[in-house]
Amino acid sequence: MNAPLRVSTPEAAPLDPLMPLAARLRRRERLSDDVALFTVTLEQPEMGGPTGANHQPGQFVMLSAPGVGEAPFCLCHAASTHEDGVELCIRRVGEVTARLFDLPEGALLGLRGPLGSGFEMDDLVGGDLLLIAGGMGMAPLRSVLQAALTRRREIDRLILIDGARTMADLIFWPELAALPADVERLFALDDPSGARVEPLITGHVGMALAQVALDPNRVKVALCGPPVMLEPVVRGLEARGVSAEDIFITFERRMSCGVGHCGHCAMGRRYVCVDGPVFSAAAARELGEGLR
Amino acid sequence: MSGWILPQAELGPFLQTVREQMQVFAPTAVEAEGLCALRPLNGAIGPPDTEARRTMLPPKKLLLPNNETLFTFDAEGYHPAPVDDAPTVLFGLHPCDLRAISLLDRFFGARIADQRYVQRRAATRLIGADCLPDDACFCHSVVASEPRDAVYDLFLWSLEDRFWVTVNGESGAALIDLDRKRFRHPRPADRLALQRRQQLRARMLENGRARRQARGDAQWSWREWSAACFTCGACAMVCPTCVCTTQEEHPSLDGASGERVRRWSACLYQNYDRAAGEHHFRNERMERARNRFEHKMLGCGVGEEGVKCVGCGRCVVNCPAQLPLGEALERAAGNLQRAQAIKAAAANPGGEES
Ligand SMILES: Cc1cc2nc3c(=O)[nH]c(=O)nc-3n(C[C@H](O)[C@H](O)[C@H](O)COP(=O)(O)OP(=O)(O)OC[C@H]3O[C@@H](n4cnc5c(N)ncnc54)[C@H](O)[C@@H]3O)c2cc1C
Ligand code: SF4
Ligand code: SF4
Ligand code: FES
């Protein structure tokens, strides 16, 4: 009897989106007490996966420390600026991140991605662009900043507001301090002692924002920071006439699969891993759980 | 409706023949445990229990297995774990469970496909069976009471001493061809019997709904419901359309190798959304309850809008807190249908039938 029940199996099985690709830890450079910049390269980039040159600003990867587990990290550089692997800016907070800090350079890691839908640079250029980062929020916004610098001529005013608790927590400060002069900037530190950046205010990013002149009809905003920061900043912007449609926020949620199957990252009725992590403030508010 | 007739006495022998080609799972009463489970058919197959109750665990346990090794790792890197995709027939699935599989097919097949689900599903054939609803069933209210999505290969309507077998597609016909001699063409009397059976089912479904309505669904709110919920997650484990899972790392003792395992989980668990600084986005039980039930009723994810509850009643009969989940879901479905009707009427102010 023939076997009609043998069913179609795909000829060349596509890449399993859950399976990490072998990668190596190339470099780890301390940025602060508990934050470091990691450079990770795929062993076989021809197999697919994040090379550092094939992502959009705001997209993320899942990075595995074999034997401990996997965690999401955003790509903190623009694809156009960097071609020898992915750069990830990672804070040591728990099990996976602790192992990442302890492993020797050259260690085997797992990498999958690029995942999620990032910032559409086309939506951000064409007028003024305001980047607002709080703490680790500078990691994803660095990719937007680098992408914006490559399209500098399509942007009128390019403005950066970056806040942290102390000078020691201000990640990437040397390169931010060295930005071209036509990038307007304002730093905010809760505790300004020993500050090495300027212009500087003492306080939080909301207070810095109040000091920046804005044309609400021309400005697009990219925003990333801890959950408690988002709501007041969005309200502050709206109070000055900026439309919630023009504010783009990258959200963080617990993740497990990163590909829209496991449910961990739900924000209202959307999955942050595939429908985001970048949502407009208007969309996030409609989801209920993003913004109120 | 075209179809075949299979005498009841021939069903066992037919399944024996199918079993020579593929493993066959069927609802099996497990008296010792007082439940009904989808189990492999072994040994002689007697007359199948066409009045089979709902299985405690849904067919998703075979398509998205709990505790599945996704891959292994060692000093060389990561290696895919084999997928158990032995040709399989799931027999006796009720319309709600067929509907649930069509929803899973869409969820795991679209956008970024889950390779393991897709591969296993491609090796799976579905033989549905009609059923008479009990008091926990409300498939009717969530439009899942009929074998509609053509997700099955064969569907059996029970007509006293015989089955009317509806065939879907080539894969369904191929199943019949395995043992054609046991089937005959329908006669007018069979058609009449099929109609009577379908009318009886429709009446029972409608009566059930009326009875539950007459009992008056208790005034019900997220707050009250969640105050009594244990967040044990039983309702999610037994749900044929719940998809929440967690990946776990299982290192070996040598420290250099191990495996990653995917387990069923539930969005009702308190640390399901735990993030940096012990931050929770749905810390209150009420918020987690709302999350699950909103997702059941409205779906989650772009392109995933729509009712995801199929009214199978599993959560109703398995909730240890005996919460009125069926009434809540059924009422939510009713509200949804009314809202859609109002929206349709507003979009069509002339009031003509569309
Ligand atoms: C889209 C996205 C992008 C991210 N980008 C970065 C980044 O660029 N740099 C960076 O340092 N971190 C980033 N994170 C957060 C990072 O994923 C978590 O810090 C990491 O998962 C912690 O893993 P762990 O095993 O070390 O912690 P665990 O041992 O799991 O937990 C320890 C602590 O970390 C918290 N935690 C665990 N998982 C998460 C999570 N997914 N998100 C937030 N907190 C968590 C726990 O609540 C606990 O306080 C991102 C998260 C998302 C969702
Ligand atoms: S089964 Fe009942 S008690 Fe358990 S989580 Fe579901 S609703 Fe709550
Ligand atoms: S929510 Fe309850 S009734 Fe609905 S499909 Fe899931 S288990 Fe069945
Ligand atoms: S992380 Fe699994 S659905 Fe988003």
Side-chain angles (χ1 to χ4, degrees), chain A residues 34-36 58-62 68-76 87-101 115 136 139-140 250-256 265 272-273 276-277, chain B residues 273-281:
Chain A
D34 57 355
V35 181
Q59 280 193 297
F60 66 98
V61 298
M62 292 300 265
V68 186
E70 192 176 39
F73 302 100
C74 49
L75 291 139
C76 71
E87 276 186 353
L88 308 170
C89 171
I90 298 177
R91 166 178 277 159
R92 180 179 188 140
V93 292
E95 291 182 32
V96 173
T97 48
R99 172 63 67 90
L100 292 171
F101 275 76
L115 299 168
M136 288 292 288
T250 170
F251 284 90
E252 207 182 283
R253 284 294 185 275
R254 182 92 197 174
M255 289 186 182
S256 178
C265 68
V272 170
C273 65
Chain B
D273 66 341
R274 178 182 62 96
E278 288 305 308
H279 187 83
H280 289 273
F281 300 92

Side-chain angles (χ1 to χ4, degrees), chain A residues 256-279:
Chain A
S256 178
C257 71
V259 294
H261 291 160
C262 76
H264 279 268
C265 68
M267 183 166 96
R269 297 202 300 107
R270 292 285 178 265
Y271 294 123
V272 170
C273 65
V274 281
D275 303 324
V278 177
F279 295 90

Side-chain angles (χ1 to χ4, degrees), chain B residues 138 235 238-242 292-293 296 308-316 329:
Chain B
F138 59 98
C235 53
V238 300
C239 179
T241 66
C242 267
R292 176 168 189 270
F293 281 74
K296 282 292 107 170
K308 297 286 188 280
C309 170
V310 298
C312 69
R314 283 187 179 89
C315 60
V316 180
L329 287 159

Side-chain angles (χ1 to χ4, degrees), chain A residues 1-9 14-20 64-70 108-110 112 227 252-254 256-257 259-264 266 268-271 274-275 289, chain B residues 21-22 71 73-75 77-80 107-108 111-115 122-123 125 174-175 178 243-247 249 251 260 262 272-274 279 281-282 290 294-295 298-302 305:
Chain A
M1 201 179 305
N2 68 342
L5 309 165
R6 238 304 149 205
V7 274
S8 57
T9 340
L15 213 58
D16 182 343
L18 294 180
M19 201 180 82
S64 289
V68 186
E70 192 176 39
L108 175 76
L109 299 173
R112 52 195 182 96
E252 207 182 283
R253 284 294 185 275
R254 182 92 197 174
S256 178
C257 71
V259 294
H261 291 160
C262 76
H264 279 268
R269 297 202 300 107
R270 292 285 178 265
Y271 294 123
V274 281
D275 303 324
E289 290 182 346
Chain B
Q21 301 275 321
M22 323 173 75
F71 49 82
F73 59 85
D74 54 27
Y78 295 83
H79 314 287
F107 187 80
F108 288 114
R111 299 208 291 189
I112 304 176
D114 185 277
Q115 302 303 328
R125 294 285 168 264
L175 279 171
L178 288 178
V243 291
C244 283
T245 57
T246 295
Q247 294 183 39
E249 196 91 342
R260 192 167 295 163
R262 174 164 66 182
Y272 204 65
D273 66 341
R274 178 182 62 96
H279 187 83
F281 300 92
R282 289 184 293 278
R290 182 197 45 70
E294 234 173 62
H295 287 191
L298 303 167
C300 183
V302 172
E305 284 80 7

Side-chain angles (χ1 to χ4, degrees), chain B residues 225-226 228-236 238 266 268-269 285 289 292-293 314-316 318-323 325:
Chain B
W225 177 78
S226 58
C229 166
F230 305 146
T231 63
C232 66
C235 53
V238 300
L268 292 151
Y269 295 159
R285 261 189 289 186
R292 176 168 189 270
F293 281 74
R314 283 187 179 89
C315 60
V316 180
N318 287 299
C319 171
Q322 301 189 326
L323 294 173
L325 301 177

